[in-house]
Amino acid sequence: MRFQPRDHSWRLFARLGRLEETMPSDAQKLDCSELPPPPVPADIDLRSYCWMKLDLSRLHSSDFIHLASNEEFGSAVKLWTESMRQVPAGSLPNDDKILACLAGYRGSPRRWMKVRTIALHGFSLCSDGRLYHPVLAEMVLVAWGNKTQQPTSSPSDPRAKDRERLRRWRAAQRAKHENAQSNRTEEAHYSTQADETAETFQDRFTETFPETAETFHRKEREGEKRERRNVNNVSETADETFQETPSPEPSQMPTATREGTLCKKLRALGVRAAPHMVVVQEMCARHSDEHILAAAEIALEKKGSGIHVGYIAAMLKDPGRSSVKGAKNKPAAGPPNRSLLPPVAVAESHFIAL
C-alpha cells in the first residue's frame, strides 16, 4: 500500500480567510466628509486613450525611486496605469481586495500587504472615498485638455480633415447668412423710421404753414416747367445749327507719282525699293521705266529675288565692260544688252532615274 501525503491545503485557505477578515472593506471605511475634495472632476474619462505621459526626470529625482524595491516599483507602475483607466481618471478605489487584483496579487493578500505602503506612495484619500495622486492628477488634466481640443474623429480616419474643414465652412456660411439677415433687418427698420420721420415732418410742416407749403409746391412745379422749356429751346437751336452747317467736301485722293508706280512694279518683281529713296529718284531722272525694269529682270536672273534697288542702279551706271580698248568708261547708248552678261550657272540635278 503506497503512502499518500495528507492534504494541508485547507490550512492555507483558512489563513487566507482570516487575513481577508482583517483587511479593510467598504463597511470599515472612515468618514470622508472632512477630507479634501478630489483634484480631478468626476466626469473625466480617459479610457479611450491608449498612452500615458510619464516624466522620467521627475520620476528619477523623487524619493519613491530610492525607497521602492523592484517588486514594489512594478506594483506601483501597474497601479498608475490602472488609475488612468478608472472613472474619474487618475483615481483608485479604497479597497485592498480590488487594489491587490489591480497590482497583480490576486489570491496573494499577504504579498500585497507587504508592498502596499510603497506601492501607494503619494496616494491620498479624498472626500469622494477614492485615492488620488497629485502627479497623476496633473497628467490627467493635461490629457483631458488636449482631448477636448482635438476633433471627435480618430486621427487615422483619412476623411477626418475634410469633414472638419466642411464643418468649419458650414459654420462660417451660417454665421455670414445670419449677419446678412440681421443687417437687412436693421436697414429695413432704419428706412421705415426715415420714411415715417419724413412723412411726419411734411405733415407737421403742412399743418403749421399751409400757405408756405402750397407756395413751395407751386414754385417747384414752375421751376420744372422752366427747365423743360430751356431744354426744348436748346434742342431746337442745335437742330438748326446742324442743318445749316454744310457738309465738308470729300478730300481728294493724292495722285500717284512716277517713283511710286515704279517702286510698286519693282516690289512685284522682288526688288526692295521705296519712292523716298534717293537712288530711286536718281534712276527716274536719268532712265526710263522700261530701261529700269529690264535691268531689274537681268539682276533677278543673276542674284535672285530680294535684291536692293541700289544693285540695279549700279548696273545702270556700269552696264558691262566692253572688250574694245577705250570703251571702258563710255555710257551705254540703250538698255543693257543681255548678251554681254555671263550665262547663269545651273547646278546639275541630283535625281537618279530608276
Side-chain angles (χ1 to χ4, degrees), residues 286-343:
R286 295 179 180 179
H287 307 282
S288 63
D289 294 350
E290 293 79 6
H291 198 174
I292 297 172
L293 293 175
E297 290 179 0
I298 297 172
L300 290 172
E301 290 179 1
K302 187 176 181 180
K303 293 291 184 178
S305 61
I307 61 176
H308 195 268
V309 70
Y311 183 78
I312 302 174
M315 288 180 58
L316 293 174
K317 289 181 180 179
D318 189 10
R321 295 183 178 181
S322 176
S323 58
V324 183
K325 277 189 175 183
K328 180 177 180 181
N329 297 326
K330 291 183 179 181
N337 190 359
R338 293 178 179 269
S339 62
L340 298 178
L341 296 174

Side-chain angles (χ1 to χ4, degrees), residues 235-256:
S235 61
E236 292 176 359
T237 305
D239 295 340
E240 293 176 357
T241 303
F242 290 128
Q243 289 177 0
E244 292 177 359
T245 304
S247 58
E249 296 180 358
S251 59
Q252 296 180 357
M253 297 296 292
T255 57

Side-chain angles (χ1 to χ4, degrees), residues 130-141:
R130 296 181 68 86
L131 301 171
Y132 290 90
H133 198 290
V135 179
L136 294 177
E138 294 178 6
M139 296 165 55
V140 166
L141 294 177

Side-chain angles (χ1 to χ4, degrees), residues 203-245:
D203 295 341
R204 290 180 181 178
F205 184 80
T206 306
E207 292 175 359
T208 308
F209 308 101
E211 296 180 357
T212 307
E214 293 178 0
T215 306
F216 174 76
H217 292 304
R218 185 171 61 255
K219 289 183 178 180
E220 186 176 3
R221 288 193 295 271
E222 291 178 357
E224 292 178 357
K225 291 181 180 178
R226 194 180 302 109
E227 290 180 359
R228 206 179 298 112
R229 194 180 306 111
N230 293 337
V231 170
N232 295 334
N233 294 336
V234 169
S235 61
E236 292 176 359
T237 305
D239 295 340
E240 293 176 357
T241 303
F242 290 128
Q243 289 177 0
E244 292 177 359
T245 304

